[in-house]
Amino acid sequence: KKQFMPKEPHWFGSHSQFGGKSMWLKLYPQCNGERHTVTWDCTPDTLISSSAPYEIATYYGKNKRHIVFLILLREPVARLQSWFYHLYRGKDLSFRAFAEDIVRTNGSVRGQASYGMKGSLYAGQIARFFKVFQSYQFIICPYRLFTEASQQQPSLVDRVLGRLGIEGKDAAVARSNTHKHGSIEDELGQKLFNQLQDVLAHKGGAALPVASVLSGSRAELFGFA
């Protein structure tokens, strides 16, 4: 049986510069028009990339309006901590020292640290995609509502399937890319956590700047009170 794309192909904003559209299409099953086929790309870096929305629009052309985007918003410091332990898994490095460096430089860090921090600056990322695609194509959801969904209410997966016109099936939950680490409170303490949160907020990684981008848009806000 032929194997197709992984969950995170890291194509747009990354590998697309090394391969053309024909190579990209090989990651997907062929569409013959006889059955409803939906594919996905769950690469988190796509939201961060400054070139990704324009590359996606170029690839899809007039069909770009059929794409449904799902954005999971995680508390910015928690996302940064998760990114740190994913990137530096197996290495004896301190997230506290990493956070102190960001605070000391007021976010003017370089290299991987800069890229990791940018991942938590959601407002500018969403605004960039809204310039290329219609805001109604987006579903925005709190990260924890997806990972800790209550069985007493409709799930995000059900909502996405509904938007795509697909009937869902019960399936076992699969968890991957999980890494053990201490809580934010234990690793940073309240003072450093607040300082790091302030730096990220000033650069667009907080509820208020995100709300400013979403205000007046037609994006679907799933699970927000």
Side-chain angles (χ1 to χ4, degrees), residues 14 24 32 35 40 47-48 62 64 70 72 87 90 97 121 133 142 164 176 178 184 208:
S14 180
W24 170 71
N32 56 21
R35 57 182 300 188
W40 67 355
L47 186 63
I48 305 172
K62 65 180 181 180
K64 73 173 189 177
L70 171 62
L72 302 178
L87 183 67
L121 310 182
F133 298 92
L164 296 173
S176 61
T178 58
I184 293 177
L208 188 58

Side-chain angles (χ1 to χ4, degrees), residues 45-202:
D45 290 358
T46 301
L47 186 63
I48 305 172
S49 169
S50 60
S51 63
Y54 304 97
E55 293 175 8
I56 295 171
T58 298
Y59 269 50
Y60 279 84
K62 65 180 181 180
N63 291 313
K64 73 173 189 177
R65 62 187 178 88
H66 297 300
I67 304 172
V68 175
F69 294 93
L70 171 62
I71 299 177
L72 302 178
L73 295 181
R74 188 173 189 177
E75 194 286 316
V77 175
R79 192 219 65 87
L80 185 60
Q81 182 194 40
S82 178
W83 171 87
F84 179 87
Y85 282 106
H86 175 67
L87 183 67
Y88 297 113
R89 57 193 179 279
K91 297 181 181 180
D92 187 20
L93 296 174
S94 166
F95 178 64
R96 181 179 180 86
F98 175 75
E100 288 174 336
D101 194 38
I102 292 178
V103 171
R104 178 180 57 81
T105 62
N106 195 31
S108 298
V109 288
R110 298 181 179 181
Q112 288 284 12
S114 175
Y115 190 76
M117 187 186 72
K118 287 179 180 178
S120 290
L121 310 182
Y122 307 125
Q125 300 165 8
I126 297 172
R128 184 164 52 237
F129 268 85
F130 280 5
K131 290 180 180 178
V132 182
F133 298 92
Q134 297 297 319
S135 60
Y136 66 75
Q137 295 177 248
F138 292 78
I139 302 174
I140 316 291
C141 177
Y143 171 83
R144 293 187 67 175
L145 187 63
F146 177 68
T147 59
E148 303 173 17
S150 169
Q151 295 184 352
Q152 308 305 318
Q153 61 186 33
S155 72
L156 175 61
V157 172
D158 291 333
R159 179 65 195 117
V160 173
L161 292 176
R163 280 278 295 262
L164 296 173
I166 300 175
E167 184 179 350
K169 296 181 179 180
D170 291 334
V173 175
R175 300 185 184 276
S176 61
N177 285 346
T178 58
H179 309 285
K180 292 183 178 180
H181 53 74
S183 68
I184 293 177
E185 292 78 10
D186 290 341
E187 293 202 320
L188 301 185
Q190 193 63 50
K191 181 180 179 179
L192 181 56
F193 170 77
N194 290 341
Q195 291 173 328
L196 180 57
Q197 200 173 47
D198 287 344
V199 171
L200 297 178
H202 181 70

